[in-house]
Amino acid sequence: MIVASPLRVDEPIRLPYPEPMNVAIVVLIVVVVVALVAAILIVTRTALRRVALSSGRMIAENFSEKDIVLSDPAANFFGLASKGGRQVRGNGALVLTLHVLWFRRIGSTKPLEIPLTTIEFVDIVRSHAGKSVGQDLLRVGFGGDSAAWYVNDPRAWIDSIRPQ
């Protein structure tokens, strides 16, 4: 037998829906979070555009269009395996010509130049030098070391670097 407790007159009645003030706070929090995410996306996109423009200028200064087999002005460098995970990762210009694989990170003055004759292997990995972005990376082995980049189409890079 279920016995209902008597309703006391001095207790407020609890409604089955939230109070208007709580709803307003939740809505405000959601709006603020959405605005922050939008701002972060806009800033990130603007920064990547600037990187691509700067890298595009670097490519144009160092190579003629007819010499370029492939290029990526916003390649994300994962470093050299020999230096481990403590090196700075960064975006820059990656260029493949008939003779060299060339990379220069934004803010750096010295490019990494890998003559194609010294390349020992090229493959796709998911991490390099202790770093990962959960995407396929282009890895190039040369002179007992290796370097890796996040590029748009790593398979196209491999097909172009490997001797036919």
Side-chain angles (χ1 to χ4, degrees):
M1 177 180 202
I2 299 174
V3 178
S5 62
L7 184 61
R8 294 184 49 185
V9 178
D10 59 343
E11 287 184 22
I13 298 174
R14 297 259 177 213
L15 300 174
Y17 49 87
E19 296 179 30
M21 187 61 160
N22 290 343
V23 172
I25 291 171
V26 169
V27 168
L28 180 64
I29 290 171
V30 168
V31 167
V32 167
V33 168
V34 168
L36 284 173
V37 169
I40 290 169
L41 289 174
I42 289 168
V43 167
T44 301
R45 193 170 188 180
T46 302
L48 286 176
R49 267 197 199 124
R50 286 184 181 170
V51 165
L53 287 172
S54 178
S55 291
R57 283 191 296 273
M58 270 194 283
I59 292 170
E61 289 169 3
N62 290 281
F63 301 95
S64 69
E65 275 190 47
K66 66 180 172 66
D67 293 333
I68 298 172
V69 175
L70 278 177
S71 69
D72 187 340
N76 190 336
F77 184 55
F78 277 66
L80 297 170
S82 61
K83 292 188 176 181
R86 293 187 178 215
Q87 60 195 309
V88 176
R89 189 172 94 186
N91 292 65
L94 180 63
V95 177
L96 174 64
T97 71
L98 293 175
H99 305 288
V100 69
L101 181 64
W102 183 91
F103 176 76
R104 193 164 97 195
R105 197 178 66 213
I106 298 296
S108 174
T109 56
K110 185 177 180 204
L112 170 63
E113 295 185 37
I114 306 168
L116 296 187
T117 56
T118 67
I119 293 178
E120 299 159 355
F121 66 87
V122 288
D123 61 4
I124 293 175
V125 295
R126 299 288 281 188
S127 66
H128 182 76
K131 301 169 186 169
S132 175
V133 289
Q135 299 288 327
D136 289 343
L137 305 175
L138 168 69
R139 182 174 63 167
V140 177
F142 60 97
D145 204 351
S146 66
W149 294 266
Y150 173 67
V151 292
N152 285 334
D153 188 358
R155 179 62 51 199
W157 284 85
I158 287 175
D159 293 343
S160 296
I161 293 170
R162 277 192 183 139
Q164 301 302 320

